[in-house]
Amino acid sequence: MIAARSIAAPAISKGLIEWRMVTSWPKGLPGLGTGAERLAENITAMSGGRLSIKVYSAGELVPALECFGAVANGTAQMGHDAAYYHTGKSEGCAFFTAFPFGFMAGEMDAWMKYGNGQTLWDELYAPFGIRGFHAGSTGTQMLGWFKREIRSLEDLKGLKFRSPGNQGRVLEKLGVTPVSLPGGEIFPALQSGAIDAAEWVGPYNDLALGFYQVCKYYYSHGYHEPGATLQLMINEQAWQSLTPELQDIVKTAASAATRDMLAEYNARSGPALRTLVEKHGVLVRGLPEEVLMACGEKSNEVLNEIYESDTSPKHIVRRIIEDFLAFRKEIIPWTRIGEQAYVNARRLPFAFGLKT
Ligand code: CA
C-alpha cells in the first residue's frame, strides 16, 4: 500500500496522516517555493493536523524535474511543479501550465473550473495513477532578457536563447537556437556568453537572479506564458485513501494557493520593475508587431504539429486542444471588451491622484 508505507505507526494509531510533497523548487525560492510551502502549511492547519504535509525542495528526495514520476510511483504522495515540465510523458501537459498565445490567469481558472479543463486533465493523468489540481500562478511573464535590441526578425536569427518547451519550438522556427537550463544556471550562462538571451518569470523573480547585470534590454509581450499556472500532483491511491472531507480541504487549499501566489507576484512585480528601471538602468521594450505576428504564426504551427502527431489513447491530446481552442474563441471577445478595454482606457494621460 503506497499510502500506508509512509505513515509512521504512532501517527496511524491517532488517525493522523503524514505525507511528503516533492517540489521542483530550490528551498525558499520566492513565489514558487514559498507558495508550495504555504500550501502545505494550509492543508496541515485546515485539517487540524490530521493530514500533515512535509515539503521537500528540489534534489532533497528526487531531482527537480522528476516530481511526476515520484508521485506516480508513490515515493511521495504529493508533488508541486509545472505540468509542462512533463511533455515527455504527454504533449497534453503543456496546456495545463501555459501555451503560447493561450490563456491569462483568469481565463485559465475559468477553463478549469467552469469549462472542461479539469475533466480533461483528470482523464490525461489517470493512466499515470495521479491527479492534478492547479495550485499557484505567476500571472503574465516577461519574454525575457536580451543583450541587444530586437528591431526585426533578423535580430532573432542565431540567438542562443534560454527558452524551454513549446516556446523553444516556436523560436527555433524563427532561426533561434533554444537552450534549456534550470533557473540557477541561467545567470552564469549569460555571463560566460554560452547564451545570448534568457527568459525566466517576471520582475519579482528575475531581479533576484540578477540578469540585469548582464542584459540591458528586458522585453515584454510574454505571449509564451501569458498566465503560467503551477500544479499540485497527488498519487491516486493516496488520494482515494483520504476521507471526502480531507479531499475537500486539499482541493480548497490548492484553489486558494492559485490566487494567493498570483497576488504575491502582482504585489512584488511592480516594485521590482521600478528597481530594475530606476536603480539598474534596465530598458523595458515590447516586441515590434512584425516579430510578434511571426511568433503568433509559428505558435499556431507548433499547436498543429502537436495535434497532428497525437497518438494518445482516445486522442486525449487532440480533444484537449479542441476544447482549449473552443474555450479561447468564446472568452477572447469578452476579455477584449472587458479587461482589455479598461486597461487601454487607463493608458489615457489624464491626471489621477490627490491635488494637494
Ligand atoms: Ca518562464
Side-chain angles (χ1 to χ4, degrees):
M1 283 294 293
I2 287 161
R5 193 174 59 195
S6 65
I7 300 171
I12 288 176
S13 65
K14 292 182 209 153
L16 303 178
I17 304 168
E18 292 169 6
W19 277 9
R20 303 186 186 108
M21 182 199 284
V22 289
T23 73
S24 287
W25 322 121
K27 205 165 197 61
L29 181 72
L32 304 170
T34 51
E37 282 156 26
R38 276 200 303 272
L39 168 62
E41 284 163 15
N42 284 340
I43 293 171
T44 307
M46 286 165 78
S47 67
R50 282 174 292 147
L51 175 58
S52 64
I53 313 292
K54 182 169 166 45
V55 179
Y56 293 85
S57 52
E60 269 192 299
L61 208 57
V62 294
L65 300 181
E66 289 177 25
C67 294
F68 190 103
V71 176
N73 71 22
T75 301
Q77 294 83 1
M78 284 181 164
H80 191 270
D81 69 359
Y84 72 177
Y85 291 157
H86 311 296
T87 47
K89 300 272 194 289
S90 168
E91 295 278 9
C93 291
F95 296 88
F96 300 99
T97 306
F99 196 87
F101 289 95
F103 298 136
M104 297 188 296
E107 296 168 338
M108 175 69 101
D109 233 12
W111 184 47
M112 296 306 291
K113 293 193 165 96
Y114 290 90
N116 300 319
Q118 186 69 52
T119 309
L120 288 162
W121 199 13
D122 289 347
E123 188 182 335
L124 178 73
Y125 275 8
F128 300 101
I130 65 173
R131 62 177 61 215
F133 297 107
H134 275 158
S137 172
T138 67
T140 305
Q141 298 202 357
M142 289 291 281
L143 184 75
W145 294 86
F146 296 81
K147 292 176 181 174
R148 287 188 307 277
E149 219 168 342
I150 304 298
R151 291 202 177 91
S152 70
L153 283 167
E154 271 311 300
D155 294 327
L156 282 180
K157 293 210 165 84
L159 278 187
K160 283 173 284 179
F161 186 179
R162 185 272 174 190
S163 222
N166 288 316
Q167 167 70 343
R169 290 168 68 173
V170 169
L171 293 171
E172 201 166 21
K173 290 172 181 289
L174 295 170
V176 169
T177 303
V179 179
S180 247
L181 285 175
E185 292 176 30
I186 299 173
F187 182 80
L190 280 170
Q191 210 170 26
S192 72
I195 56 174
D196 309 302
E199 80 87 49
W200 176 233
V201 181
Y204 177 35
N205 285 156
D206 294 2
L207 171 65
L209 292 184
F211 303 142
Y212 62 86
Q213 294 169 49
V214 192
C215 296
K216 197 171 167 193
Y217 294 98
Y218 195 22
Y219 270 81
S220 71
H221 288 121
Y223 67 83
H224 65 305
E225 300 197 41
T229 316
L230 291 311
Q231 67 171 352
L232 171 67
M233 292 174 286
I234 304 172
N235 176 283
E236 182 63 23
Q237 223 175 329
W239 175 253
Q240 293 302 338
S241 75
L242 294 182
T243 61
E245 187 200 1
L246 287 176
Q247 288 182 347
D248 277 347
I249 285 172
V250 171
K251 275 197 269 191
T252 305
S255 183
T258 303
R259 198 160 178 103
D260 186 78
M261 192 188 288
L262 184 61
E264 184 181 359
Y265 272 97
N266 280 334
R268 305 280 185 249
S269 290
L273 181 62
R274 182 162 45 79
T275 301
L276 286 169
V277 172
E278 292 178 8
K279 191 171 168 199
H280 302 302
V282 166
L283 301 170
V284 177
R285 297 280 186 272
L287 284 178
E289 202 155 295
E290 171 213 20
V291 177
L292 205 46
M293 185 76 185
C295 292
E297 284 164 356
K298 299 305 176 192
S299 299
N300 192 47
E301 276 183 31
V302 170
L303 181 78
N304 279 276
E305 285 165 12
I306 295 171
Y307 188 87
E308 291 304 325
S309 63
D310 176 38
T311 54
S312 60
K314 296 188 193 167
H315 283 306
I316 178 64
V317 176
R318 286 190 179 193
R319 286 187 290 120
I320 289 168
I321 291 173
E322 285 161 6
D323 201 77
F324 161 84
L325 287 173
F327 198 86
R328 190 179 178 278
K329 195 173 174 187
E330 289 283 0
I331 204 163
I332 283 180
W334 161 234
T335 300
R336 192 170 288 152
I337 201 66
E339 285 192 25
Q340 191 172 327
Y342 171 64
V343 170
N344 287 342
R346 215 163 47 175
R347 287 176 61 91
L348 295 172
F350 53 83
F352 195 80
L354 298 177
K355 287 183 176 170
T356 52

